[in-house]
Amino acid sequence: MSLAPALLRLSVGCVALALCAGFASADCPDDDPFVANDDCFAPEPLPSFLSGWFTIYGQAHAGGLDEDYWVVEDVFPGESVQLDVFYLVAGGDVDVELYADLGCSNLLDVSNGGTGNESVSATNAGPGLTNFYVHIVAADPALDCNNYSMSITRIAAPCASPPNDALEPNDSCAAAPVIGVGTTPVLNLSGTSGDPRDHYAIDVPAGELLTIDMLYAQGGASPDLTLYVTSACDSAEAVAFGINGSAQLEWANGSGATQRVYLRVWYFVGGAAGCGEYVLNVASVPAPCLATDDAFEDNDDCAAAVPLQPGTTANLHVSADVDYYSILVPAGNALTVEVEYVAAVVEDEVYLYLYDSTDCANQVDTTWIGGGPDFVDWINDTGADRTVVLRVDIDSAHCNDYDLHVFSALDPCLAGLPEDPFEDNDDCLSAAVLLPGFQAGLTLRQSDEDYYAIDVPGGQSLHVLALFAAPSAGIELFLYDSVVLCGDTSLGPVARGNAYELGQFLTWLNSSSTNATVYLQVQIRPLPQIYPECGAYDLDVSLGGDPGTSFCAGDGSDGACPCGNESALGAGEGCAGSQGHGAVLSATGSASIANDDLAFGVTGARPGQPSLLVRGSQPIALPFKDGLFCMGGPTLRVGVIALDASGAGTSSFSVVHAGPVTPLPGQTDFFQQWYRDPAVSPCGSGSNFSQGVIVVWQ
């Protein structure tokens, strides 16, 4: 089969803009993590994420020439590869060469643009898989160093009708040919008509772990894998979804005898439409997880559940034989069970399932995401003591060690949660007047919402941050400018809360010239099976012309700084830099897209250095360089702000239009200032970040 051409796009660019420009030898950044890819006989596979930044050193660098080599692996027959290259011209010319062979002797294409925007491309015209090799060239003899970033996407052409591969016909489980360990030839799966499915039978010896790796040509529908242990293929034992050109499925044979299993390759997610070429690699090795037990075995079914007491039970182990525990919960108590473990891969994640009876007939809670730690909880409102059962599970081919932490205490909602001083503020007509400032220890129930009236002067912005005491509280904020629609969450709100850590934040601009009274509704999402009935929360309310809300401070409240360089608690700065304090980012103007008057100013950064305003769509708080990196999903460059002799600067560009993507009304963005702090920065990385600012566009 000749695969209709698919497009692989690689983008390369200077991440730091002015941060990359005009480096002297002493100021060049450290080499990127891929330090060994310095010749074509040792290329690095292109990382699947390709969102980081990479460094190239030119002939003018004091440490000598250091170029980069990459390999684009597993290019399928007929697949086209295009590489678009972007870099900062001021940093020095960077070219790209594309080769067909390891060692880079067969040149396929080369770019010589020198404009900062270049392209190379090639197509696999052969009958099997191949690799393409990329050489990032320091073309300018005067180049000291430059940075670039990379991203990959694939776009497929319409499917063509392929011939059968060597293992056809295998369109049903009954027709599955037996395959052994090793790598198959290139196989075809087509969905231009009918329901495309390929089936294979595999014999797995007793006590062995079966691993099936699938590689497929990206760009079209992604094929998926399903494994069955019966010849009728009527009960799935394991499933793996194709993502970014590959899928992996594992299964351990704990039956005590050789067992034949059946593999289905099909477009489970994409439906019948789709076509593509793929390769299977089958391996079978002794399964390490089938022989390990903890002291509580055999607690492998609901009837054999082992009693578990409040407190911590450590050094437990789960594998294909699921673990069950029983827990006595007194009447009126709230039960929380936390699981703690380390997962090297997704399949190592440990999941909890909680049942409110000893026959495991009614599941009342489960962990959803994994990643460890995680928890389940349940409130015993039956009026009598109740024994519940906890099931601990993992992917059938994997095993892991874990600890359980059991907490059982009187539920405050059943015992009577005390009311806060603002009660009874249970509707808009009884809304309590709320002034700017911090209010702690407020209480809330699902059946007893809170309402507040807030006066906002003309031209000023209202910022509200609500923090709930419980990590899964489901608190929500709604803002109304009319008593008539107040409380109607579907039609009435002029602003809605956005998720932030343990609560929500909300921003609203009074664009009129007169005072406006608005009404804040605070509620717990009405899903008692997921969210608690009641709890305590804090409100932080502020007014001003600042259209943004500060967050992600470097004082330790939102995460530790990289080398203990926290700024003063409550100062609202980023992590401390070489000046002994952190930088502060602030916003002026408005969040109106139409007005396009939003501006950012930074103070307290390193004097005389360049800085970069960056924007993201998701809040995070990760140690990076000398500071906290506060946004992601993805991070976009907005513009350069030059810093004066005091370490201050103001944006002189359109924040709305400066970035690669124009924001939309109602969109929430997260901004941060990245500034250079060379030679004497506290952690030695040479750059740092301000705190973050949240903007809700209008």
Side-chain angles (χ1 to χ4, degrees), residues 41-403:
F41 288 100
E44 283 282 352
L46 284 175
S48 59
F49 58 91
L50 293 181
S51 59
W53 38 91
F54 308 94
T55 305
I56 183 173
Y57 297 104
Q59 298 179 37
H61 183 58
L65 183 68
D66 186 358
E67 299 177 327
D68 289 345
Y69 292 83
W70 305 91
V71 55
V72 182
E73 295 181 312
D74 301 317
V75 182
F76 276 75
E79 187 174 2
S80 296
V81 178
Q82 178 174 321
L83 294 86
D84 295 303
V85 180
F86 304 94
Y87 60 91
L88 187 70
V89 176
D93 185 20
V94 175
D95 289 342
V96 178
E97 298 171 344
L98 190 64
Y99 292 88
D101 62 319
L102 181 68
C104 297
S105 62
N106 185 5
L107 181 64
L108 298 175
D109 199 6
V110 62
S111 67
N112 293 302
T115 63
N117 187 347
E118 310 180 23
S119 179
V120 292
S121 62
T123 299
N124 178 12
L129 296 177
T130 191
N131 296 336
F132 288 154
Y133 298 85
V134 182
H135 180 196
I136 306 296
V137 184
D140 186 350
L143 186 148
D144 190 346
C145 62
N146 211 338
N147 284 15
Y148 61 96
S149 63
M150 300 189 287
S151 63
I152 293 181
T153 58
R154 298 188 183 198
I155 304 172
C159 293
S161 297
N164 286 333
D165 58 51
L167 298 181
E168 291 282 356
N170 58 341
D171 301 332
S172 66
C173 213
V178 177
I179 61 174
V181 297
T183 302
T184 67
V186 176
L187 303 169
N188 305 319
L189 186 65
S190 175
T192 53
S193 62
D195 185 6
R197 301 184 180 194
D198 286 349
H199 297 80
Y200 306 93
I202 306 169
D203 292 327
V204 184
E208 293 214 349
L209 173 67
L210 172 69
T211 302
I212 302 173
D213 288 292
M214 176 181 65
L215 297 176
Y216 63 90
Q218 300 183 52
S222 298
D224 305 308
L225 303 178
T226 305
L227 193 72
Y228 304 88
V229 294
T230 63
S231 58
C233 293
D234 54 1
S235 178
E237 188 74 13
V239 175
F241 299 116
I243 300 174
N244 294 330
S246 66
Q248 184 182 79
L249 180 148
E250 293 183 321
W251 178 79
N253 180 7
S255 66
T258 296
Q259 186 163 353
R260 176 164 291 183
V261 295
Y262 297 84
L263 176 71
R264 174 179 291 165
V265 183
W266 61 321
Y267 295 112
F268 175 76
V269 175
C275 68
E277 295 176 320
Y278 65 96
V279 170
L280 297 176
N281 184 62
V282 180
S284 182
V285 298
C289 289
L290 294 179
T292 306
D293 279 334
D294 57 48
F296 287 89
E297 293 290 349
D298 288 322
N299 56 335
D300 301 336
D301 56 48
C302 196
V306 175
L308 203 59
Q309 303 299 321
T312 296
T313 304
N315 302 318
L316 302 172
H317 186 83
V318 63
S319 60
D321 56 342
V322 179
D323 292 343
Y324 288 81
Y325 304 92
S326 62
I327 305 170
L328 178 64
V329 184
N333 270 26
L335 170 72
T336 300
V337 182
E338 294 182 354
V339 61
E340 190 172 3
Y341 60 93
V342 176
V345 295
V346 172
E347 290 81 6
D348 286 345
E349 291 177 354
V350 178
Y351 294 91
L352 304 182
Y353 301 84
L354 190 65
Y355 304 89
D356 66 356
S357 61
T358 55
D359 60 1
C360 298
N362 184 39
Q363 180 180 303
V364 293
D365 198 10
T366 182
T367 54
W368 292 95
I369 300 175
D374 211 334
F375 68 94
V376 292
D377 54 15
W378 179 73
I379 299 173
N380 183 5
D381 57 1
T382 64
D385 295 351
R386 174 70 66 91
T387 297
V388 299
V389 175
L390 177 73
R391 173 178 146 217
V392 183
D393 206 346
I394 196 171
D395 184 274
S396 61
H398 286 251
C399 59
N400 208 343
D401 297 320
Y402 65 97
D403 300 336

Side-chain angles (χ1 to χ4, degrees), residues 546-602:
D546 186 347
T549 303
S550 181
F551 81 113
C552 192
D555 59 6
S557 59
D558 286 300
C561 292
C563 58
N565 56 320
E566 281 77 18
S567 55
L569 185 64
E573 304 168 347
C575 295
S578 61
Q579 309 302 296
H581 52 73
V584 176
L585 182 67
S586 59
T588 58
S590 75
S592 169
I593 296 173
N595 291 346
D596 192 12
D597 60 350
L598 180 65
F600 283 92
V602 60

Side-chain angles (χ1 to χ4, degrees), residues 383-632:
D385 295 351
R386 174 70 66 91
T387 297
V388 299
V389 175
L390 177 73
R391 173 178 146 217
V392 183
D393 206 346
I394 196 171
D395 184 274
S396 61
H398 286 251
C399 59
N400 208 343
D401 297 320
Y402 65 97
D403 300 336
L404 290 177
H405 309 282
V406 180
F407 307 92
S408 181
L410 191 65
D411 178 54
C413 297
L414 297 178
L417 187 72
E419 293 188 339
D420 60 56
F422 290 97
E423 292 290 350
D424 289 319
N425 56 334
D426 304 333
D427 55 43
C428 263
L429 294 178
S430 60
V433 175
L434 191 62
L435 300 176
F438 185 77
Q439 300 289 341
L442 305 175
T443 56
L444 186 66
R445 294 174 176 270
Q446 286 194 6
S447 58
D448 185 5
E449 300 175 347
D450 288 347
Y451 289 80
Y452 302 92
I454 307 171
D455 288 335
V456 182
Q460 292 199 13
S461 295
L462 169 68
H463 308 287
V464 179
L465 180 64
L467 297 177
F468 215 90
S472 61
I475 191 171
E476 291 185 311
L477 302 179
F478 300 92
L479 193 71
Y480 308 88
D481 62 358
S482 167
V483 176
V484 176
L485 294 177
C486 184
D488 186 343
T489 59
S490 61
L491 297 176
V494 295
R496 298 171 182 265
N498 296 271
Y500 172 65
E501 293 187 349
L502 303 185
Q504 288 203 342
F505 68 90
L506 177 150
T507 299
W508 178 76
L509 172 67
N510 180 4
S511 57
S512 72
S513 59
T514 59
N515 183 79
T517 299
V518 292
Y519 300 89
L520 177 68
Q521 177 188 8
V522 186
Q523 70 170 22
I524 300 175
R525 294 176 189 172
L527 297 171
Q529 70 275 25
I530 299 177
Y531 300 110
E533 167 63 27
C534 68
Y537 69 99
D538 303 332
L539 279 181
D540 191 358
V541 178
S542 61
L543 295 169
D546 186 347
T549 303
S550 181
F551 81 113
C552 192
D555 59 6
S557 59
D558 286 300
C561 292
C563 58
N565 56 320
E566 281 77 18
S567 55
L569 185 64
E573 304 168 347
C575 295
S578 61
Q579 309 302 296
H581 52 73
V584 176
L585 182 67
S586 59
T588 58
S590 75
S592 169
I593 296 173
N595 291 346
D596 192 12
D597 60 350
L598 180 65
F600 283 92
V602 60
T603 58
R606 178 75 175 269
Q609 294 293 329
S611 68
L612 179 71
L613 182 67
V614 291
R615 171 181 129 201
S617 60
Q618 297 291 334
I620 59 175
L622 297 177
F624 179 67
K625 299 295 185 181
D626 276 27
L628 288 179
F629 195 43
C630 297
M631 80 278 296

